[in-house]
Amino acid sequence: MLDLYSHLFLCFNIFAIHISIMAKKKSTLESSNSKKAKHDISVGVVGSGSFATAIVKMLVENCKTVHWCVRSEFVKGAIELRGHNPTYLTAVNFNLKNLKLTTDINELVSACDVVVLATPSIYLSDTMDKMTCDYKDKIFVSAIKGIIPKVNDVVAHYLKEEFQIGFRNQAVIAGPCHAEEVAMERLSYLTVATVEDETSDKLVGIFNSDFIKVNSSKDILGNEYSAILKNIFAIGAGIASGLGYGDNFTAVFVSNAIREMETFLEAIYEAPRDVNESAYLGDLLVTAYSLFSRNRNLGNLIGKGYTVKSAIQSMNMVAEGYYAADSIYKTARQKNLELPIIDTIYAILYEGKNAEKQFKKLTAKLN
C-alpha cells in the first residue's frame, strides 16, 4: 500500500475532482454550445482509459461531434446510460448528443478524418489488427506513451512499418498533461508534434481551449521517445520515495534523468530540440513528482518492498514504464550508451535485483 500521506493525498484529490467537476457540470453543459463556433472536422478517439476519456473531454470543447471507440459493449452501454465512463474519470459527464459511441474501430476510422489512438501500448496491436477499412489520407494521432510489444518499437514506427502510414499522416501528443487535472479543468499543456504545418494547425484548433494550451513541434520521434523515457524515470522516482529518499535526492535524480533523456534522444534521432521545453522536462517533472502518476506509484510500491509482479497486480491502470524499460535498456546497450538510471531500473524490474542495494550503487553515479 501507499504510505498514509500518499493515500490521504490521493483520496483528497479524487474528492476534489468530483467537487470541482460537479460544480461546473451544469454551467458547462448549458454553455458548451455558446462559447464559440465548433469545428466540423470529424475526429475520433480509440481507447476508454483515463487519458482517452480526458482526450474526449478536450475534443468536445471544440468539435460538434466526437466519435469514441471503447473496448466493450459494457463500457459503451454504461456511457450511453449514465453519460460518463463507468471506470475512469467517472465524474466527467458528457452530453451524449456530442458523442458517437462504438466498439468497432472500422466504423470509427471510416467516419473520421483524425483518429486519436489512446489505448495502452500493450493493447494497440490487437486493436489495430482489426482495422480492415480504407484509412488512406487519415491522420493518426498517438497519445500512447509506451513501446508496442509486438514489434518492440514506438507507435510512429509501428504505424509506418505495419500499416504504411507515413509521418506526414501522423502526429504525437505529449504533455505535461495528467488526465485527472484535465477532468478538473485545471490549466494543462499539450505539445502536438507533426511534420505538416497544416496538420499542426488543425490539431491545435481542436485541442486548444480555456483549460488546454497547445504548443506545436516537428519532433515526432523525440516527443514520443521522451514520453516513454519519462515513465521509466518516474518508476525510479517512485522507488526512491518508497525507499525513504527525500526531495533533495529526487531533485538530483530528475536532473540526471533529463540528461540521460537527452543522451538517448540524440543517439536515436538527431534533431533540433531543447529538452528543457515542456514536452520533455515538463512532462518528466510532473510524472516523477505527482501522486497522480501511475508509474511513480508503481515504483513507490516496489521501493516499499512489493515484488514487481505484486506491485503491477495491485494497480488498476497500466504503468507503461514497466513494459518500456526492457526495450529502452536493450536499445541503449546496442548503442553503447551510459545511462545509469535506466540500467538501475532495468536491473530491479527485470533481473530481480534488490531495489535498496541498486539505489545505493546509483547514488555514487549521480551528480
Side-chain angles (χ1 to χ4, degrees):
M1 295 177 62
L2 296 173
D3 56 48
L4 179 61
Y5 171 79
S6 299
H7 181 73
L8 290 174
F9 182 88
L10 283 172
C11 289
F12 173 79
N13 275 282
I14 291 170
F15 178 73
I17 291 173
H18 281 265
I19 294 297
S20 174
I21 294 171
M22 295 305 290
K24 294 177 181 178
K25 187 198 319 181
K26 183 176 180 181
S27 61
T28 299
L29 290 174
E30 290 177 348
S31 63
S32 61
N33 291 325
S34 61
K35 284 182 179 179
K36 59 181 178 180
K38 293 194 174 186
H39 294 272
D40 286 319
I41 184 172
S42 183
V43 60
V45 178
V46 179
S48 49
S50 58
F51 198 47
T53 305
I55 289 172
V56 174
K57 176 176 171 60
M58 296 178 207
L59 292 172
V60 295
E61 292 287 311
N62 296 315
C63 300
K64 291 180 178 179
T65 301
V66 176
H67 298 257
W68 191 1
C69 181
V70 297
R71 68 174 178 268
S72 69
E73 288 294 335
F74 168 77
V75 174
K76 177 176 178 287
I79 296 173
E80 290 173 337
L81 178 65
R82 301 185 180 92
H84 64 77
N85 189 318
T87 308
Y88 302 101
L89 302 186
T90 55
V92 176
N93 283 268
F94 295 101
N95 185 340
L96 295 177
K97 293 180 180 178
N98 297 333
L99 297 180
K100 286 192 176 180
L101 290 153
T102 183
T103 58
D104 183 355
I105 188 172
N106 289 294
E107 180 182 334
L108 180 138
V109 173
S110 296
C112 295
D113 300 315
V114 176
V115 178
V116 182
L117 302 174
T119 68
S121 61
I122 58 175
Y123 303 133
L124 180 64
S125 60
D126 288 341
T127 302
M128 294 293 288
D129 284 347
K130 299 172 184 175
M131 188 173 69
T132 57
C133 63
D134 181 14
Y135 50 83
K136 183 181 179 182
D137 299 327
K138 310 283 187 181
I139 298 170
F140 286 82
V141 182
S142 173
I144 298 169
K145 299 170 173 61
I147 296 290
I148 309 302
K150 180 179 178 180
V151 294
N152 195 35
D153 211 338
V154 294
V155 176
H157 288 153
Y158 169 71
L159 294 178
K160 188 172 186 293
E161 297 300 323
E162 298 292 320
F163 296 93
Q164 291 72 54
I165 300 171
F167 286 164
R168 293 185 180 279
N169 289 88
Q170 289 193 43
V172 169
I173 293 177
C177 194
H178 272 152
E180 293 81 2
E181 294 203 350
V182 173
M184 290 186 283
E185 299 189 3
R186 289 181 175 174
L187 183 60
S188 301
Y189 288 75
L190 287 180
T191 296
V192 173
T194 180
V195 298
E196 293 289 334
D197 291 336
E198 182 180 349
T199 301
S200 178
D201 292 342
K202 183 183 298 184
L203 295 177
V204 169
I206 63 176
F207 279 106
N208 202 53
S209 71
D210 291 340
F211 58 92
I212 300 293
K213 303 302 179 188
V214 186
N215 298 313
S216 59
S217 168
K218 292 187 181 297
D219 187 17
I220 291 180
L221 289 176
N223 276 271
E224 186 161 24
Y225 271 112
S226 68
I228 293 167
L229 288 162
K230 57 93 177 178
N231 284 333
I232 303 172
F233 295 135
I235 291 176
I239 293 174
S241 175
L243 289 170
Y245 288 89
D247 293 342
N248 292 335
F249 174 80
T250 302
V252 173
F253 178 90
V254 172
S255 175
N256 281 261
I258 192 63
R259 281 176 265 161
E260 287 197 18
M261 180 185 288
E262 185 172 28
T263 297
F264 187 91
L265 293 180
E266 289 179 353
I268 290 294
Y269 178 65
E270 287 189 19
R273 69 171 65 91
D274 181 359
V275 295
N276 293 315
E277 291 178 352
S278 297
Y280 310 96
L281 178 58
D283 210 2
L284 169 61
L285 288 171
V286 74
T287 312
Y289 280 100
S290 175
L291 293 178
F292 284 134
S293 169
R294 65 193 72 173
N295 290 282
R296 185 188 189 280
N297 289 336
L298 174 64
N300 192 45
L301 293 173
I302 295 169
K304 288 183 177 300
Y306 279 64
T307 65
V308 173
K309 183 177 180 180
S310 62
I312 292 172
Q313 290 176 339
S314 71
M315 301 182 67
N316 67 344
M317 292 189 289
V318 176
E320 294 278 17
Y322 169 75
Y323 300 96
D326 181 48
S327 176
I328 295 297
Y329 169 80
K330 291 174 180 176
T331 300
R333 290 292 293 256
Q334 290 170 0
K335 294 186 173 294
N336 297 315
L337 303 178
E338 292 187 13
L339 306 175
I341 296 176
I342 294 293
D343 293 345
T344 298
I345 296 169
Y346 176 84
I348 295 169
L349 296 182
Y350 287 94
E351 295 179 344
K353 298 292 181 67
N354 179 271
E356 184 175 4
K357 291 180 180 178
Q358 291 300 306
F359 263 71
K360 184 74 173 178
K361 293 178 182 178
L362 179 63
T363 60
K365 300 176 183 179
L366 303 183
N367 56 68

